[in-house]
Amino acid sequence: MNTEIATTESPESTDIAVRTAVQMLNAGEAIGLPTETVYGLAADAFNEEAVGKIFEAKGRPKFDPLIVHLPSKAALADIAVVTEELETIVNVLTTQFWPGPLTILLPRKPGVPDIVTAGLDTVAVRMSEHPVFRKIIKDFGRPLAAPSANRFGRISPTSAAAVLEELGGLIPLIVDGGACGRGLESTIVRLEPPEDGNVTARGKKKKARIEIVRAGSITAEDLKNFGIVIRPKRSARAVPGAPGQLASHYAPGTRLRVLDDPGDFTPENGKRYGLLSFRGEAEDGYLSLTHWSEVAVLSPGSGKMVEAAIRFFFLLRQLDHSGVDEIIAEPIPDRGLGMAMMDRLRRASTQAADGE
Ligand code: TXA
Ligand code: MG
């Protein structure tokens, strides 16, 4: 299959890209689209055959459910059931974070195909804030199922070139919407109403529980004003409940290891190592450990998490292609977006450790 790339550099080319994308979605194709987090592989959520093409192109097992992207907040009612006890918290979160990188798990409406939710009674929903994605889904007028546009278990793509590398020849179209502004996937949350009603005996409002199922672009700190935030467990293996929250994920082809203590590193003779460093500072004790064949610095100088997040998957991909035998990742401070990046690094290294 020939994979066409549609650019969006001018208003004219954007119009053509949007029209082509909508035509293909209407024809039941799965296509690569930009979102603010990572590129998605999108298809009509209500067309089972089209959704099947997502699984096929990605090589994704059918037990791993997809996120449904909405054309509008109103469309939430077509997909999910917002129970009375969750209404307040859902309203607060969608007002605050939609459109944007927050995915909410809710009971699904019966009409949502089983293939989308992997037969679960919940559905993951979000609304992207990417301008090109929004144009396309608005013109298409219906929800789109869209996982990240990488082959199953591999590094998520944050550019059209990365999607082409992952899925070139397997899908008919990639809309190039430029680099993803956030660089990490959406945060997935599960909600629980306050126990025994929304208000206390004294008439005070009680807080709902917001459980982070997948750390992502919206941080625990961002959420904490809106409910009692339950952070995900540190170990990738301990993440409960969600199919697809698989321990081995986000893996480069090259072996990757998170080196928690620089003192634990004994380089093997003749092996080429690449370092993924957070700030690239000598004081951290990583730069001087060995003769690194490659060094990629996530947040040189500024130490800002936002910068590191935008560069994260891009640099992992680059290290993966650099020909080193092993990537050594320096731990990233486990706060804010750092939590999301550490989650991905630990999953990537789990796979290497399993030798899968
Ligand atoms: O930022 C994002 O979320 C990107 C962009 C393209 O929107 N999408 C994305 O999708 O990261 P994906 O498929 O790569 O990751 C979605 C995760 C999977 O781990 C899946 O198992 C989980 O969401 N998921 C989907 N539906 C679920 C459900 N009903 N219950 C629990 N987990 C669910
Ligand atoms: Mg993914």
Side-chain angles (χ1 to χ4, degrees):
M1 186 187 299
N2 180 42
T3 303
E4 184 192 336
I5 312 268
T7 61
T8 58
E9 277 146 11
S10 64
E12 294 75 26
S13 60
T14 304
D15 279 351
I16 295 169
V18 170
R19 226 178 307 132
T20 314
V22 171
Q23 262 167 20
M24 289 212 176
L25 291 169
N26 275 320
E29 294 296 342
I31 59 173
L33 296 182
T35 87
E36 73 278 31
T37 56
V38 301
Y39 273 71
L41 179 58
D44 183 347
F46 284 105
N47 178 339
E48 289 180 43
E49 203 180 312
V51 175
K53 291 182 184 169
I54 295 178
F55 285 90
E56 210 169 293
K58 280 187 62 108
R60 180 171 174 126
K62 292 271 170 63
F63 60 75
D64 196 4
L66 307 178
I67 295 178
V68 176
H69 297 65
L70 301 178
S72 65
K73 283 188 199 174
L76 180 60
D78 303 334
I79 298 290
V81 181
V82 180
T83 54
E84 209 184 311
E85 49 180 20
L86 285 181
E87 215 176 288
T88 311
I89 183 68
V90 169
N91 277 339
V92 166
L93 292 180
T94 54
T95 303
Q96 194 67 28
F97 296 105
W98 281 10
L102 183 74
T103 298
I104 306 179
L105 299 178
L106 288 168
R108 71 150 151 170
K109 275 273 165 79
V112 180
D114 272 346
I115 186 172
V116 172
T117 64
L120 297 176
D121 51 13
T122 55
V123 59
V125 277
R126 91 171 187 98
M127 209 179 143
S128 169
E129 71 189 356
H130 194 288
V132 174
F133 189 96
R134 289 188 70 179
K135 269 208 176 92
I136 291 169
I137 196 167
K138 195 165 154 273
D139 284 5
F140 182 62
R142 293 193 302 281
L144 290 173
S148 51
N150 48 276
R151 277 169 298 136
F152 179 68
R154 314 298 292 211
I155 302 173
S156 301
T158 50
S159 67
V163 181
L164 188 65
E165 206 175 285
E166 291 288 323
L167 300 172
L170 298 171
I171 57 174
L173 177 72
I174 300 168
V175 175
D176 185 346
C180 299
R182 301 250 188 184
L184 295 174
E185 294 90 344
S186 62
T187 301
I188 305 180
V189 295
R190 185 185 290 135
L191 305 175
E192 263 181 50
E195 275 169 30
D196 308 322
N198 280 304
V199 283
T200 64
R202 290 193 188 144
K204 244 185 101 186
K205 275 200 177 150
K206 286 199 251 171
K207 284 187 166 176
R209 287 155 71 94
I210 306 171
E211 184 193 347
I212 299 178
V213 176
R214 176 178 72 181
S217 221
I218 303 279
T219 65
E221 289 79 357
D222 295 332
L223 292 167
K224 74 169 192 277
N225 288 333
F226 309 102
I228 302 165
V229 177
I230 324 248
R231 291 164 191 255
K233 303 266 187 322
R234 184 165 173 262
S235 151
R237 286 186 189 284
V239 175
Q245 297 296 314
L246 300 171
S248 56
H249 229 102
Y250 309 107
T254 313
R255 194 184 152 85
L256 182 146
R257 177 163 31 138
V258 180
L259 189 66
D260 288 298
D261 181 350
D264 288 345
F265 186 61
T266 326
E268 281 172 46
N269 251 345
K271 228 172 137 174
R272 288 163 50 86
Y273 292 97
L275 175 69
L276 182 67
S277 165
F278 180 56
R279 295 191 63 166
E281 285 186 344
E283 302 87 88
D284 297 333
Y286 285 87
L287 283 175
S288 56
L289 275 180
T290 185
H291 167 79
W292 300 105
S293 303
E294 296 285 336
V295 175
V297 182
L298 286 164
S299 189
S302 86
K304 282 196 178 139
M305 290 290 182
V306 191
E307 178 185 40
I310 292 175
R311 293 157 53 85
F312 181 76
F313 283 128
F314 171 76
L315 289 179
L316 261 185
R317 195 170 278 277
Q318 202 176 55
L319 278 174
D320 194 18
H321 289 325
S322 70
V324 297
D325 300 306
E326 187 172 4
I327 301 166
I328 301 293
E330 177 188 313
I332 300 167
D334 216 2
R335 60 180 153 79
L337 292 169
M339 244 174 65
M341 287 183 272
M342 277 313 283
D343 166 70
R344 281 140 186 83
L345 284 179
R346 293 212 188 273
R347 286 175 205 272
S349 65
T350 304
Q351 180 163 31
D354 286 348
E356 283 164 14

